[in-house]
Amino acid sequence: MAREPKANRGPSAGPDNRRAIIAAARDVFGESGFAAPLSSIAKRAGVGQGSLYRHFPDRLALAVAVFDDNIADLEAIASDELTTLDDLFAAIAEQAMGSSALIDMFATHQDDPRTDHLQTRIVELVRTVLARDAAVGPHVTVDDVTLAIAMLAFALSRTDASAKGATAERARAMFRAAFGR
Amino acid sequence: MAREPKANRGPSAGPDNRRAIIAAARDVFGESGFAAPLSSIAKRAGVGQGSLYRHFPDRLALAVAVFDDNIADLEAIASDELTTLDDLFAAIAEQAMGSSALIDMFATHQDDPRTDHLQTRIVELVRTVLARDAAVGPHVTVDDVTLAIAMLAFALSRTDASAKGATAERARAMFRAAFGR
DNA sequence: CGATTACCGGACAGCACTGTCCGGTTGTAC
DNA sequence: GTACAACCGGACAGTGCTGTCCGGTAATCG
């Protein structure tokens, strides 16, 4: 077997490896779901298994790193004074690609403090938007909205790409009807 | 190792074994999810692996047998002239125990003709109820309702037993608001 | 009562994934 | 130029599940 031209960059390879792993994980989780073999993520990243496990001791650590970015995006959107609840749903729908993995992650590691932390951040940004959006009925609670978000993510995760747009629109229409004044 | 007192009943053991396997599968799927080891189902049923695979060549065949009963129940309810759409949601919520496995089954075997058949039956019974319930707005489509059902099943599957009631009520309230005239 | 037959249950081989461990390579210090 | 240290990648052992195969057992038939 001929030696690969890919060089080992020795010490202080920088955070490149880590970033490559996260990017590969986002792709693989999106394509093959949360249960995808970690070895396939390492391969996609052009990295050995050792490096993957060195950076992320377990599957959840890797997933948290991936979804941390997604939630950060939502937080930025939520902090915008002009964002309505429906806008938030739209933003979540656009992140739908990875939602299947996100759903499975929460299902598989329901009681882990790391997923709890992500959940807390979601609750917080929902609270922010909900407090601001005057078009939402006063009877609507944060729990109602987080349930709706979970349902939306689920619906998108179980729809093939061609129909995602229609499903997202259908679900959003339902939530508008349910949450409006 | 001492021989177990459990006797081999020889030929023509009747359908007892099959029924025991289905019952065990319902329990195990409910407790451990759709991905539970089939060997654990055989053990629970007090049956060898061989018998399990003889009756059900693969996991899906077993799951279909389990959920066939559930859907038959729903069909009976749907055929009742007095059943409203909200009643249907309530009935589905009561079947919630196995819904996690149901969701996973549809996710894992999306394109199998056997799951397609189950889905068709659900669509049909939704159509029946929808055509009858005068309290539902004319803008509501069968697709809207099936999406809602999937979301409801999902929501219940991701809720621990103590909160299932509250979650079911929350979701049903949302759907009433979205689907009412 | 003995032979036959159908079916049953568990042992086992095959397979895929995880997580660790080690030889190899490159940059750095002296 | 040489020795050192850090880090990398892939090989590999461990583990758990699937699905098959075979010896054993009970009912039936002559």
Side-chain angles (χ1 to χ4, degrees), chain A residues 3 8-11 36-39 49-50 53 59:
Chain A
R3 182 148 297 281
N8 179 336
R9 294 200 309 298
L38 294 188
S39 55
Q49 306 236 62
Y53 280 97
R59 179 181 300 275

Side-chain angles (χ1 to χ4, degrees), chain B residues 1-130:
Chain B
M1 192 70 92
R3 183 148 297 280
E4 278 298 307
K6 182 170 223 323
N8 179 336
R9 293 199 309 297
S12 76
D16 293 0
N17 253 337
R18 184 187 168 87
R19 262 200 288 273
I21 292 170
I22 293 179
R26 175 169 284 116
D27 291 349
V28 172
F29 282 155
E31 289 169 19
S32 311
F34 182 65
L38 294 187
S39 55
S40 73
I41 293 176
K43 183 176 290 183
R44 173 83 68 108
V47 150
Q49 305 236 61
S51 301
L52 189 151
Y53 280 98
R54 200 172 312 114
H55 286 292
F56 305 100
D58 58 23
R59 178 182 301 274
L60 183 56
L62 183 52
V64 167
V66 169
F67 291 118
D68 200 47
D69 292 353
N70 289 32
I71 292 184
D73 286 352
L74 293 183
E75 283 171 338
I77 292 170
S79 68
D80 183 330
E81 287 293 329
L82 297 177
T83 300
T84 66
L85 188 57
D86 193 51
D87 293 336
L88 184 61
F89 280 119
I92 289 165
E94 269 172 29
Q95 286 191 356
M97 199 185 70
S99 47
S100 167
L102 185 71
I103 293 291
D104 286 348
M105 179 186 76
F106 279 122
T108 314
H109 298 88
Q110 224 165 2
D111 291 334
D112 192 289
R114 290 170 288 179
T115 50
D116 287 352
H117 177 67
L118 292 183
Q119 242 167 328
T120 304
R121 285 169 66 190
I122 294 175
V123 168
E124 210 48 53
L125 69 88
V126 165
R127 197 192 308 280
T128 303
V129 174
L130 196 55

Side-chain angles (χ1 to χ4, degrees), chain A residues 17 26 34 50 82 89 102 104 116 124 147 178:
Chain A
N17 254 337
R26 175 168 285 118
F34 182 65
L82 296 177
F89 281 118
L102 184 73
D104 285 349
D116 286 351
E124 209 48 53
L147 177 61

